[in-house]
């Protein structure tokens, strides 16, 4: 049923060509028990690998059941190996992390027949290991491991058993057991080909093929009763396997792939958790960093918007010039007449004076220290301070210095809790004020709570509460936001004229143009976001490199695993799917944990440090997709190269 004619195989070792097989012609009939002997390096294993479809010959033909199989695709060969061959290797090649039963089941997985897994238990019983089915290979003796491997080779009920020095690593007692099992299998009708250099073992075979330097130098048949007359092979099996191989049956089921992948992840806890950790840190850092950046940006933008971009702030000049304190009288003091004069400028739409101070506010037994600001009526529109409850004060109330006040929400909450403060009387620095309104919430931005404030009429503030006869600043709203520089100039000229300022005194007041400040702040926040973003990108990169390293470190071990899986019938796609699932599961769970970490860190920063943070969907998507891409790429890439090797090369990989 197996017929090799003029088969050669040459390996290139650097510049040296090693002729592992030279013009080998061998015919093996069903039910034969063949021993291949010869010195080390004579090509025995290579011959066995060619017979087992683990390796392709360079030249020559190989007929199985009368059909040429050297031209079959890799996947078709995988199906052949899975259904027709059982392999027993010198090094056992069991999956170290799977128990005996799971190892025996493996060929069933790639046959898509895991539902037949009772067979695995039966086979394990037949090699006398029923009691050891849940033990891992590391907990078993060499003899036991080899018996597990034999059970594995039998589970798909292949007609051919190929054993490469199966007793090479065993003590003599185990050797006897293993040989007995193989002989028994042959008696039950299996074709057995065994590579050995033990003359004792070879003698018990009915046929001995001797090799030297890649040549078959002798082929002795001691018993020709079996085999000669049965050249057709098991009726129909080969044909149905071939048909199946062509039709693509015998594919492992997806559920089995998932099971295999999860098994591999769970059994390499250290490796898996390290890869997950890499992703977790990368993703978490990116989300938290970007949350901080976006939060800061938004808080500044919000604050700027609440100020208005068409706003000028006129203030008494800095008390210092080039770091040197100026003498008294060097500061321009503004009065309400200045306000009225500015209001008449065509560039000015609204003008509001301002004095500020701090005050102790008392209501009942509640006490609160806050900022008090005296303003004009235009303040309401100029600073978008339309009361949410009650009303703003009127020009008449300013003229008559009424003791009325509007509370910011922080103050209202401190004194009144959730109750409506409008209509109540509070004491501000021991003076009774009537609360007439509640200011809209502006939010705590940065380090300053804009709602921790009280607004009262400018006149009341100056003459009754703070005892000032000058203004601290004047807010001017321009008519046209595009013409703020012109407005600034108009206001500046007006003040210079009114106060008769000489050239050298022109810097005794200053005008802040909010539009300019906004632009400056915006570019600052942009820089900051970039900075945080690049820190985040670096952490992502570091995380990615971490994942990559861990994935690559396990390549050797995994390559052998891939070799074994391929040897017992896994196709390239089976390998890829399993590794894809493994990488996806690890990177996904790492990514999810990273998102949780990032969001948690952001919440922590917001609550403990009081920083403005904003977790953006973009950062989550960016971080998660990047690390998943890295994880999958470096999880798959080594698997892909390993899956492309022929099984024997992968098994020998070091
Ligand atoms: P045996 O099993 O009889 O000891 P092998 O079939 O393993 O011999 O090897 C036959 C020859 O081919 C040896 O010289 C070996 O070094 C060489 N050989 C086998 N496999 C490879 C390979 N993958 N690459 C290079 N040389 C190889
Ligand atoms: Mg060998």
């Amino acid at each position: 049923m197996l017929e090799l004619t003029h088969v050669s195989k040459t390996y290139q070792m650097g510049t040296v060509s090693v002729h592992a097989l030279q013009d080998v012609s061998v015919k093996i009939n069903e039910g034969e028990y063949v021993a291949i002997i010869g010195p080390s390096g004579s090509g025995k294993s290579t011959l066995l690998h060619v017979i087992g479809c683990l390796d392709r010959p360079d030249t020559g033909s190989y007929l199985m059941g009368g059909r040429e199989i050297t031209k079959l695709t890799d996947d078709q060969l995988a199906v052949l190996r899975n259904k027709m061959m059982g392999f027993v290797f010198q090094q056992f090649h069991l999956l170290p992390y799977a128990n005996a039963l799971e190892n025996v089941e493996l060929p069933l997985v790639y046959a898509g027949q895991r539902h037949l897994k009772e067979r695995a238990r039966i086979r394990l019983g037949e090699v006398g290991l029923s009691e050891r089915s849940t033990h891992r290979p590391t907990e078993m003796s060499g003899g036991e491991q080899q018996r597990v491997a034999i059970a594995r080779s039998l589970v798909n009920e292949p007609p051919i058993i190929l054993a490469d020095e199966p007793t090479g690593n065993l003590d003599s007692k185990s050797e006897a057991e293993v040989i007995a099992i193989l002989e028994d299998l042959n008696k039950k009708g299996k074709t057995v080909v065994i590579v050995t250099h033990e003359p004792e073992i070879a003698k018990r075979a009915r046929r001995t093929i001797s090799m030297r330097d890649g040549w078959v130098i002798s082929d002795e048949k001691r018993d020709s009763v079996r085999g000669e007359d049965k050249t057709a092979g098991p009726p129909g099996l080969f044909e149905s396997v071939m048909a199946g191989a062509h039709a693509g049956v015998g594919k492992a089921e997806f559920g089995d792939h998932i099971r295999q992948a999860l098994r591999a992840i769970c059994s390499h806890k250290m490796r898996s958790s390290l890869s997950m950790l890499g992703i977790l840190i990368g993703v978490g850092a990116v989300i938290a960093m970007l949350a901080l950046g976006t939060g800061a940006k938004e808080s500044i933008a919000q604050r700027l918007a609440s100020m208005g971009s068409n706003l000028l702030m006129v203030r008494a000049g800095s008390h210092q010039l080039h770091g040197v304190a100026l003498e008294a009288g060097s500061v321009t003091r503004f009065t309400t007449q200045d306000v009225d004069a500015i209001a008449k400028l065509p560039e000015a739409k609204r003008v509001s004076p301002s004095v500020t101070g701090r005050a102790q506010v008392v209501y009942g037994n509640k006490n609160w220290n806050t900022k008090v600001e005296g303003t004009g009526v235009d303040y309401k529109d100029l600073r978008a301070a339309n009361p949410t409850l009650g009303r703003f004060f009127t020009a008449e109330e300013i003229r008559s210095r009424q003791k009325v006040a509007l509370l910011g929400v922080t103050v209202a909450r401190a004194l009144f809790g959730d109750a409506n403060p409008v209509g109540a009387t509070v004491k501000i620095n021991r003076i009774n004020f009537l609360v007439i309104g509640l200011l809209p919430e502006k939010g705590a931005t940065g380090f300053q709570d804009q709602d921790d404030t009280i607004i009262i009429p400018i006149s009341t503030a100056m003459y009754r509460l703070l005892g000032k006869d000058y203004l601290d600043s004047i807010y001017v709203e321009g008519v046209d936001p595009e013409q703020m520089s012109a407005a600034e100039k108009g206001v500046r000229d007006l003040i210079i004229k009114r106060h008769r300022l000489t050239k050298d005194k022109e810097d005794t007041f200053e005008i802040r143009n909010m539009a300019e400040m906004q632009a400056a702040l915006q570019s600052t926040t942009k820089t900051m976001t970039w900075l945080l973003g690049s820190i985040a990108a670096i952490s992502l990169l570091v995380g990615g490199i971490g994942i990559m390293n861990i994935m690559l470190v396990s390549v050797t071990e995994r390559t052998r695993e891939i070799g074994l899986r391929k040897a017992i019938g896994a196709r390239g796609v089976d390998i890829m799917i399993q590794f894809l699932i493994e990488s996806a599961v690890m990177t996904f769970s790492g990514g999810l944990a990273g998102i949780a970490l990032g969001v948690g860190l952001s919440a922590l920063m917001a609550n403990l440090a009081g920083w403005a943070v904003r977790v953006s969907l973009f950062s989550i998507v960016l971080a998660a997709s990047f690390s998943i891409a890295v994880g999958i790429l470096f999880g798959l890439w080594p698997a892909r190269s390993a899956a492309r090797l022929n099984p024997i090369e992968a098994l020998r990989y070091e």
Side-chain angles (χ1 to χ4, degrees):
M1 69 190 279
L2 308 178
E3 189 170 0
L4 283 78
T5 0
H6 305 303
V7 164
S8 299
K9 177 91 192 171
T10 306
Y11 290 111
Q12 206 65 38
M13 302 268 285
T15 52
V16 186
S17 301
V18 179
H19 300 286
L21 290 181
Q22 310 205 52
D23 196 28
V24 171
S25 295
V26 172
K27 189 170 170 193
I28 297 173
N29 293 320
E30 162 144 42
E32 275 198 288
Y33 186 4
V34 184
I36 303 175
I37 59 166
S40 187
S42 56
K44 308 181 295 292
S45 296
T46 309
L47 178 58
L48 196 75
H49 296 156
V50 169
I51 292 174
C53 307
L54 288 167
D55 212 347
R56 292 171 187 272
D58 294 337
T59 58
S61 100
Y62 179 9
L63 300 182
M64 189 184 289
R67 297 254 306 256
E68 178 63 54
I69 61 166
T70 47
K71 299 288 180 303
L72 294 184
T73 64
D74 284 349
D75 286 352
Q76 287 170 331
L77 288 183
V79 177
L80 273 190
R81 287 197 293 273
N82 183 255
K83 302 273 182 157
M84 299 289 291
M85 319 281 179
F87 294 100
V88 182
F89 300 98
Q90 181 176 359
Q91 301 86 350
F92 323 135
H93 288 312
L94 300 175
L95 291 185
Y97 55 79
N99 66 31
L101 191 62
E102 288 164 331
N103 267 293
V104 176
E105 276 175 21
L106 213 51
L108 285 173
V109 168
Y110 295 114
Q113 293 185 317
R114 225 181 66 92
H115 54 277
L116 299 176
K117 67 180 182 205
E118 248 337 279
R119 277 197 203 166
R121 204 174 283 284
I122 295 169
R123 294 286 104 78
L124 214 46
E126 285 171 359
V127 296
L129 289 175
S130 296
E131 262 87 76
R132 309 285 275 162
S133 62
T134 56
H135 286 69
R136 300 225 175 153
T138 46
E139 301 159 344
M140 293 193 246
S141 72
E144 286 173 325
Q145 291 185 55
Q146 195 59 300
R147 282 188 278 154
V148 172
I150 293 176
R152 180 181 63 193
S153 75
L154 295 173
V155 74
N156 271 341
E157 300 181 346
I160 305 160
I161 303 296
L162 304 173
D164 192 351
E165 311 212 18
T167 61
N169 285 352
L170 301 183
D171 57 89
S172 50
K173 182 169 163 282
S174 304
E175 175 179 313
E177 282 169 4
V178 165
I179 294 302
I181 293 172
L182 290 176
E183 279 179 4
D184 189 47
L185 286 171
N186 175 248
K187 287 207 185 81
K188 287 180 183 152
K190 304 268 183 212
T191 308
V192 175
V193 181
I194 176 171
V195 167
T196 182
H197 50 235
E198 304 260 347
E200 294 297 310
I201 296 172
K203 240 182 265 168
R204 298 173 65 161
R206 276 188 286 274
R207 175 177 173 190
T208 308
I209 297 174
S210 305
M211 297 193 67
R212 183 177 292 271
D213 299 331
W215 302 95
V216 171
I217 53 170
S218 76
D219 189 347
E220 298 167 29
K221 288 183 198 178
R222 279 184 288 283
D223 169 11
S224 57
V225 176
R226 269 189 105 91
E228 271 316 301
D229 47 352
K230 284 176 78 182
T231 51
L237 173 65
F238 178 74
E239 288 308 318
S240 74
V241 168
M242 286 304 293
H246 281 290
V249 295
K251 280 178 189 151
E253 282 151 27
F254 194 66
D256 289 327
H257 284 309
I258 292 182
R259 198 175 293 112
Q260 293 290 321
L262 292 183
R263 199 77 190 76
I265 291 174
C266 295
S267 50
H268 299 97
K269 292 205 176 58
M270 190 68 180
R271 188 177 74 204
S272 310
S273 44
L274 282 179
S275 339
M276 286 185 206
L277 190 70
I279 297 180
L280 186 141
I281 291 172
V283 171
V286 170
I287 292 176
M289 292 285 180
L290 290 182
L292 201 59
T294 320
K297 199 160 84 179
E298 281 187 3
S299 104
I300 288 173
Q302 198 183 357
R303 205 144 113 195
L304 291 173
S306 76
M307 279 178 181
S309 62
N310 50 349
L311 211 57
L312 299 176
M313 196 168 86
V314 185
R315 295 207 317 180
S318 59
H319 295 264
Q320 293 190 324
L321 187 64
H322 306 308
V324 181
L326 299 171
E327 71 274 26
S330 61
V331 170
T332 305
R333 296 237 144 130
F334 298 113
T335 61
T336 39
Q337 284 82 35
D338 291 319
V339 176
D340 296 337
I342 294 172
K344 293 203 181 80
L345 284 175
E347 300 96 322
K349 188 171 167 195
R350 296 190 183 95
V351 185
S352 174
S354 165
V355 292
T356 56
R358 293 205 70 85
Q360 198 70 22
V361 194
V362 180
Y363 175 73
N365 58 356
K366 304 264 176 55
N367 223 307
W368 190 252
N369 190 282
T370 186
K371 185 184 117 185
V372 177
E373 186 173 7
T375 71
V377 281
D378 275 350
Y379 182 90
K380 182 181 78 168
D381 297 316
L382 199 143
R383 299 297 303 275
N386 216 352
T388 51
L389 284 176
R391 59 177 182 85
F392 211 80
F393 45 76
T394 62
E396 176 51 36
E397 279 167 327
I398 292 180
R399 202 168 305 125
S400 52
R401 302 182 188 176
Q402 288 297 316
K403 293 176 286 182
V404 289
L406 290 103
L407 308 186
V409 289
T410 304
V411 179
R413 208 168 285 139
L415 297 179
F416 295 90
D418 289 330
N420 182 354
V422 175
T425 303
V426 296
K427 282 190 191 304
I428 303 179
N429 283 358
R430 303 222 187 100
I431 302 168
N432 279 334
F433 275 78
L434 177 67
V435 178
I436 57 167
L438 184 67
L439 294 167
E441 187 159 359
K442 294 206 165 175
T445 50
F447 301 102
Q448 210 180 348
D449 182 358
Q450 297 197 90
D451 297 316
D452 190 3
T453 187
I454 293 180
I455 302 289
I456 59 175
I458 180 75
S459 52
T460 319
M462 288 169 74
Y463 304 113
R464 291 197 152 182
L465 195 68
L466 302 172
K468 288 182 176 177
D469 56 359
Y470 56 89
L471 304 174
D472 290 330
S473 51
I474 302 171
Y475 289 100
V476 183
E477 185 185 337
V479 174
D480 182 356
E482 303 295 314
Q483 300 290 324
M484 290 312 289
S485 305
E488 185 183 337
K489 189 172 181 309
V491 173
R492 183 178 299 280
D493 292 345
L494 181 76
I495 292 171
I496 290 172
K497 204 169 92 195
R498 280 184 54 80
H499 289 262
R500 297 192 186 83
L501 295 175
T502 51
K503 269 265 175 267
D504 61 324
K505 293 265 167 112
E506 275 181 15
D507 51 11
T508 57
F509 73 100
E510 61 176 351
I511 299 179
R512 287 200 188 163
N513 188 334
M514 291 302 169
E516 278 167 19
M517 271 179 65
Q518 243 180 25
L521 267 177
Q522 258 157 8
S523 82
T524 312
T525 39
K526 206 180 259 172
T527 316
M528 195 169 76
T529 313
W530 269 110
L531 190 75
L532 289 173
S534 26
I535 294 175
I538 290 169
S539 35
L540 207 52
L541 197 71
V542 171
I545 292 172
I547 302 166
M548 181 181 87
N549 279 326
I550 290 153
M551 295 286 191
L552 291 183
V553 158
S554 61
V555 160
T556 311
E557 183 195 340
R558 299 311 297 272
T559 301
R560 287 207 206 101
E561 178 189 332
I562 290 171
L564 170 77
R565 289 179 185 275
K566 288 200 76 178
I568 60 177
R571 296 162 307 149
V573 282
D574 293 325
I575 302 292
M576 294 308 286
I577 292 173
Q578 183 196 327
F579 274 72
L580 186 68
I581 295 172
E582 275 184 37
S583 309
V585 166
M586 283 199 289
T587 46
F588 251 88
S589 42
L592 277 185
I595 291 173
L597 177 79
V599 173
L601 268 181
S602 308
L604 215 65
M605 287 191 292
N607 287 333
L608 294 188
W611 292 339
V613 298
R614 172 65 165 268
V615 176
S616 65
L617 188 66
F618 167 75
S619 69
I620 293 181
V621 171
L622 174 86
S625 52
F626 180 81
S627 45
I628 286 173
V630 169
I632 288 182
L633 184 70
F634 288 102
L636 268 194
W637 176 44
R640 202 176 84 117
S641 17
R644 281 185 172 177
L645 295 175
N646 74 32
I648 280 309
E649 276 173 78
L651 275 176
R652 295 160 64 118
Y653 189 84
E654 254 150 50

